[in-house]
Amino acid sequence: MTEQQNGPGRCRFFLKIALSVDGCTGSNRARRNCIKPSNAQRRPANVAIATLLTSPHAQQRVPSGSPVPSSSSLGPADNMGKCGKGTGSFGLRHTKSHTLCRRCGRRSFHIQKSTCGSCGYPAAKIRKYNWSVKAIGRKTTGTGRMRHLKLVHRRFKNGFREGTAAKKQA
């Protein structure tokens, strides 16, 4: 048995076995789009590998005494659905591009660009665009505590009087 047959070529051989057991062969796109056989038609992977290893052709390629790969390390289940942009790839996302902004408090401050995507910090002017009326309404006066402005409104109703006592109500 040569080194090449004992090395990477053997792994490719087992991968082809697992893919053919699953009912799909070829590229990733072909495996995703193929119609899988029902459970009644599909043979378990370990039974198919055992039958292939006992065939005379497999005995020539695989040396005796070499470990048989487990069914968990074979086939399309090996990439755990992480080859696309969808559900499987979301588990790989563990780096943060945005952090909390010290001006608006939202998680919109881009770490590498050092700018907030929501309020525009560290720019002096607050980020605001008229093409997004709903976003302006979320950030406008009256949506927060208005610690000072509500006192001004009360004083305005009374004519901004100072140094006088309130009239007693009868």
Side-chain angles (χ1 to χ4, degrees):
M1 181 77 23
T2 63
E3 295 255 342
Q4 187 177 9
Q5 288 175 333
N6 203 8
R10 188 172 62 86
C11 295
R12 267 190 243 113
F13 171 70
F14 284 123
L15 185 61
K16 286 180 184 175
I17 292 173
L19 294 177
S20 62
V21 166
D22 207 18
C24 298
T25 55
S27 66
N28 283 339
R29 178 175 288 172
R31 281 196 295 275
R32 281 196 302 267
N33 296 334
C34 78
I35 299 170
K36 306 256 176 156
S38 66
N39 288 337
Q41 298 169 343
R42 186 183 299 150
R43 289 194 297 180
N46 53 1
V47 173
I49 290 174
T51 56
L52 285 170
L53 289 177
T54 55
S55 70
H57 299 292
Q59 290 295 333
Q60 293 172 0
R61 291 186 206 158
V62 180
S64 61
S66 66
V68 177
S70 65
S71 60
S72 64
S73 66
L74 292 175
D78 198 23
N79 63 7
M80 300 295 285
K82 295 183 180 89
C83 57
K85 293 185 286 186
T87 308
S89 296
F90 280 96
L92 301 174
R93 299 185 184 190
H94 52 78
T95 56
K96 293 201 295 185
S97 59
H98 294 83
T99 188
L100 295 178
C101 174
R102 56 170 67 159
R103 179 159 71 182
C104 66
R106 297 187 62 176
R107 190 172 175 250
S108 306
F109 189 80
H110 198 279
I111 298 168
Q112 288 183 331
K113 289 197 278 187
S114 298
T115 54
C116 179
S118 178
C119 70
Y121 180 82
K125 293 184 178 180
I126 297 282
R127 177 184 174 272
K128 178 180 83 77
Y129 293 102
N130 287 333
W131 46 258
S132 181
V133 179
K134 289 171 76 173
I136 294 173
R138 290 187 205 109
K139 296 191 263 190
T140 192
T141 308
T143 57
R145 284 176 59 184
M146 297 199 330
R147 284 176 283 191
H148 174 67
L149 212 53
K150 63 185 172 189
L151 300 177
V152 172
H153 180 63
R154 178 177 52 81
R155 288 169 48 218
F156 168 74
K157 288 192 299 185
N158 296 312
F160 294 103
R161 64 185 178 204
E162 288 183 358
T164 60
K167 296 177 184 174
K168 291 191 176 183
Q169 300 208 356

